[in-house]
């Protein structure tokens, strides 16, 4: 009985604090803008990837290239797919925060932060993978740049 009352009081404190509401509303607006920009960039990357893959056969014949531009187009598609997930999590977070502030239901804010958690988790794992990738590239590139003493 007491825990229910404490939860009710905490909810009321959350919704009565106008500064928290303002910060969350501004965060949701910026998050939505960044998510929309992310979706636009994903669309542009997909268009570029498709153009690269379609144009690859003509350029290979004309220039006799050994590395096909189509492979680069495929890489663009993979990068676009990777960018889709953080943009979607951010968009969901922004929408849920806005709904929470309109309806003043604590369940909505819980859903919002459930979408924020995988965003940060994805970005953290992606950052670790990229740091490892760059470290590996440095380990491969440095010995290749050293003069060979034979």
């Amino acid at each position: 009985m007491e825990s229910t009352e404490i939860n009710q009081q905490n909810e009321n404190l959350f919704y009565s604090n106008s500064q928290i509401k303002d910060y969350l509303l501004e965060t949701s607006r910026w998050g939505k803008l960044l998510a929309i920009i992310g979706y636009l960039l994903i669309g542009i990357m997909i268009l570029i990837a498709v153009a690269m893959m379609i144009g690859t056969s003509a350029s290979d014949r004309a220039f006799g290239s050994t590395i096909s531009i189509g492979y680069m187009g495929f890489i663009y598609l993979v990068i676009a797919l990777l960018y889709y997930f953080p943009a979607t999590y951010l968009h969901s977070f922004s929408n849920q925060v806005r709904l929470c502030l309109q309806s003043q239901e604590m369940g909505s804010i819980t859903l919002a932060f459930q979408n924020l958690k995988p965003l940060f988790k994805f970005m953290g794992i992606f950052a670790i993978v990229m740091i490892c990738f760059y470290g590996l590239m440095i380990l491969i590139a440095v010995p290749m740049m050293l003069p060979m003493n034979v």
Side-chain angles (χ1 to χ4, degrees), residues 41-127:
L41 291 175
I42 289 168
I44 291 169
M45 289 179 74
I46 290 171
L47 290 174
I48 291 171
V50 169
M52 290 173 125
M53 286 192 249
I54 290 173
T56 188
S57 63
S59 68
D60 284 348
R61 282 180 288 185
F63 300 112
S65 103
T66 56
I67 298 177
S68 175
I69 297 173
Y71 293 126
M72 289 177 21
F74 178 74
I75 290 171
Y76 267 66
L77 282 178
V78 170
I79 292 171
L81 176 69
L82 286 174
Y83 280 152
Y84 172 78
F85 294 106
T88 301
Y89 292 138
L90 188 58
H91 188 259
S92 296
F93 168 76
S94 299
N95 285 338
Q96 288 296 327
V97 166
R98 187 178 45 79
L99 289 173
C100 169
L101 295 176
Q102 288 173 350
S103 67
Q104 295 190 355
E105 289 182 20
M106 198 60 173
S108 297
I109 197 71
T110 303
L111 288 173
F113 283 102
Q114 282 178 347
N115 285 302
L116 192 60
K117 178 187 171 188
L119 170 67
F120 285 129
K121 190 175 180 180
F122 180 89
M123 295 303 287
I125 291 170
F126 187 73

